[in-house]
Amino acid sequence: MNGTFSALPALRRAVRRAAQRYGLPAEVRSRLVLSVADVAAPEFAARRTVTFVTDVETDRDGGTPVMAATLTAPHTLGPLIATDLPLPPAPTTPATSVTWRVPLAKEGAPQRLGRPQPGSAPQSEAEALDEELRATLAHADVLMAEHRRLKHELAETNGGVLALYVQLEERDEQLRQAHGSMLKELEDALRPAPLRVEGLELAVHYEPADPHAPTGGDLYDWFTLADGTLHVTIVDALGHGVRSTRSALDVTHAVRTLALEGHPLQSILGRAHDLLTPLDPALMATALLARIHPATGEVQLANGSHPPALLLQAGGSARYLQVPGRGVGFPMPGSERVLRTRLDPGDLLILYTDGLTESRRNPLEGEERLVASARRHAEKPLAAIPAAIAAEMHTVVLHPDDTLALAIRIPRPPHGTPR
């Protein structure tokens, strides 16, 4: 169907009649009509004419017939705009033409290429518009139904995913509880048994940086020597997890063996280094060794790169018991000397690891806060003091680390009873 047009109504009717003759579905027909009109509208607004030509061709495979509809604007001043159309056109070379190629059903195609097959009487414009509108609404209904179906499937899928998520959360909680129970048993196995020493009160608090992995490198050991003296070892092995735990255990076991063999306190850390580092060259650990004689209150301290013990006297004065030395695995390991002091009734001795004082990355501030905290809690039952101090020291934690706090006190005698 060929023709020259100067107004949209006539062009629309021509395109619609051509589409009807070629048997295009109503939805495709409406898209073609709108697309041709959109391209021609600027030309008509400028009072220029266009031509519209249709023909039948075969596709590149030579099998499927296609309707080729070409709009040409011979007097246009620039290339025709053919973007964002309801029916995309085929690529064309001339800037003055736009061609649409619409596949035709083989049984509905003209028998002779280039000559449309006569059909039934053409529809009126109103009938064609009504058919196109009905086709569009039917297509919209199909899309809405598909949308509802997809929403329903999505809701069912989300429900299933949610149920699965709940099941996974429940299973995860069960696994966390089992894991926590197992680690608690492991932690209990790593700690020495509770110890009762006549004339002394002992209490300890341990808090891992990760509650789900309480096997860090902070360990303690306590036992009594043959003369009744209490020996305490505090170890902080470098590293994390099971490896640091193994290193800390090696150090505590070596120190216990050397102490029970009767080696002098000052020599124990150096000897432990000599025993352990050939077996584990990467081992590095700080350690603090303390001995307290219950009857006399005499205290001996040896230190290897570890935070100093805090002595809080019954009268309220406090001081850190500094002892120079280097830890196991450090250059020139061992305690340079043994510090000797005395615990009087009511005095409080606190041994700890750096996780207690360095949670804010400022050891000096941590030591000041520890003194203040110890003073605030000193009158509590000793069993509650280490945990209370740790809770107060960790109100703000910028640098989480395993924390160990151990408290020793000679109880005051009953009122009126001489020591």
Side-chain angles (χ1 to χ4, degrees):
M1 178 172 291
N2 304 332
T4 300
F5 304 91
S6 60
L8 282 175
L11 178 62
R12 289 196 187 100
R13 286 193 297 271
V15 175
R16 187 169 283 113
R17 285 196 301 271
Q20 289 173 335
R21 292 191 63 190
Y22 283 95
L24 297 186
E27 182 189 353
V28 177
R29 183 178 71 207
S30 64
R31 289 176 179 272
L32 179 61
V33 172
L34 290 172
S35 298
V36 172
D38 285 350
V39 176
E43 299 302 307
F44 293 154
R47 300 184 181 277
R48 292 190 291 268
T49 60
V50 300
T51 62
F52 180 69
V53 178
T54 61
D55 200 352
V56 174
E57 303 174 354
T58 56
D59 62 8
R60 293 181 179 179
D61 296 333
T64 303
V66 297
M67 180 189 110
T70 301
L71 179 77
T72 302
H75 308 295
T76 186
L77 301 180
L80 296 177
I81 299 175
T83 56
D84 299 326
L85 298 177
L87 186 65
T92 54
T93 301
T96 59
S97 297
V98 179
T99 299
W100 290 265
R101 288 183 171 82
V102 184
L104 300 174
K106 289 185 178 181
E107 60 272 15
Q111 295 179 357
R112 289 180 58 195
L113 295 180
R115 301 179 68 88
Q117 182 179 1
S120 58
Q123 295 174 306
S124 67
E125 189 77 7
E127 290 173 337
L129 287 172
D130 182 72
E131 183 184 15
E132 292 169 12
L133 178 60
R134 291 178 183 275
T136 301
L137 291 175
H139 183 66
D141 290 341
V142 171
L143 292 178
M144 289 296 295
E146 182 69 10
H147 178 67
R148 286 192 295 268
R149 183 184 67 79
L150 291 175
K151 283 183 66 177
H152 178 69
E153 291 181 357
L154 180 60
E156 289 185 340
T157 301
N158 288 341
V161 171
L162 180 61
L164 179 61
Y165 180 77
V166 171
Q167 293 177 3
L168 290 175
E169 278 291 307
E170 293 175 349
R171 182 63 181 272
D172 191 48
E173 180 60 27
Q174 294 173 358
L175 290 174
R176 279 196 297 267
Q177 291 178 359
H179 185 251
S181 177
M182 178 186 68
L183 290 177
K184 182 64 170 63
E185 292 180 6
L186 177 60
E187 179 186 352
D188 292 342
L190 294 175
R191 312 298 166 192
L195 185 65
R196 294 181 61 87
V197 179
E198 186 68 27
L200 290 178
E201 293 179 304
L202 305 174
V204 67
H205 171 78
Y206 174 72
E207 183 178 340
D210 181 0
H212 301 296
T215 56
D218 291 12
L219 287 182
Y220 70 96
D221 188 25
W222 53 23
F223 51 90
T224 54
L225 300 174
D227 63 353
T229 298
L230 169 69
H231 178 101
V232 179
T233 301
I234 305 291
V235 174
D236 186 355
L238 274 66
H240 301 281
V242 176
R243 175 175 173 78
S244 63
T245 304
R246 185 185 68 183
S247 298
L249 280 172
D250 288 344
V251 174
T252 56
H253 291 168
V255 169
R256 176 182 279 241
T257 299
L258 293 168
L260 293 176
E261 287 179 352
H263 292 274
L265 186 63
Q266 183 177 351
S267 69
I268 288 179
L269 289 177
R271 288 180 175 271
H273 171 92
D274 294 338
L275 289 172
L276 298 175
T277 52
L279 304 175
D280 184 3
L283 186 153
M284 293 187 73
T286 68
L288 176 65
L289 312 183
R291 288 184 180 175
I292 302 97
H293 196 285
T296 65
E298 180 186 4
V299 177
Q300 300 180 59
L301 292 172
N303 196 321
S305 306
H306 199 82
L310 171 63
L311 175 60
L312 180 65
Q313 295 178 311
S317 62
R319 61 189 175 100
Y320 283 97
L321 306 178
Q322 301 280 357
V323 185
R326 287 154 298 282
V328 177
F330 289 69
M332 297 182 293
S335 185
E336 294 184 12
R337 61 184 178 88
V338 172
L339 183 147
R340 288 177 169 80
T341 188
R342 175 186 173 89
L343 277 183
D344 291 321
D347 290 351
L348 184 64
L349 183 66
I350 299 176
L351 315 177
Y352 56 94
T353 57
D354 58 9
L356 187 67
T357 55
E358 296 184 9
S359 62
R360 299 190 185 186
R361 300 182 183 271
N362 187 334
L364 295 179
E365 177 197 0
E367 291 179 358
E368 293 174 0
R369 294 176 63 235
L370 178 57
V371 170
S373 180
R375 285 178 174 146
R376 277 190 289 270
H377 300 289
E379 298 304 319
K380 291 183 177 180
L382 191 78
I385 290 178
I389 291 176
E392 184 174 328
M393 295 293 289
H394 286 171
T395 51
V396 177
V397 177
L398 302 180
H399 177 59
D401 195 3
D402 298 338
T403 297
L404 176 66
L406 190 150
I408 304 170
R409 182 166 63 191
I410 295 179
R412 292 185 178 94
H415 184 67
T417 303
R419 187 177 188 276

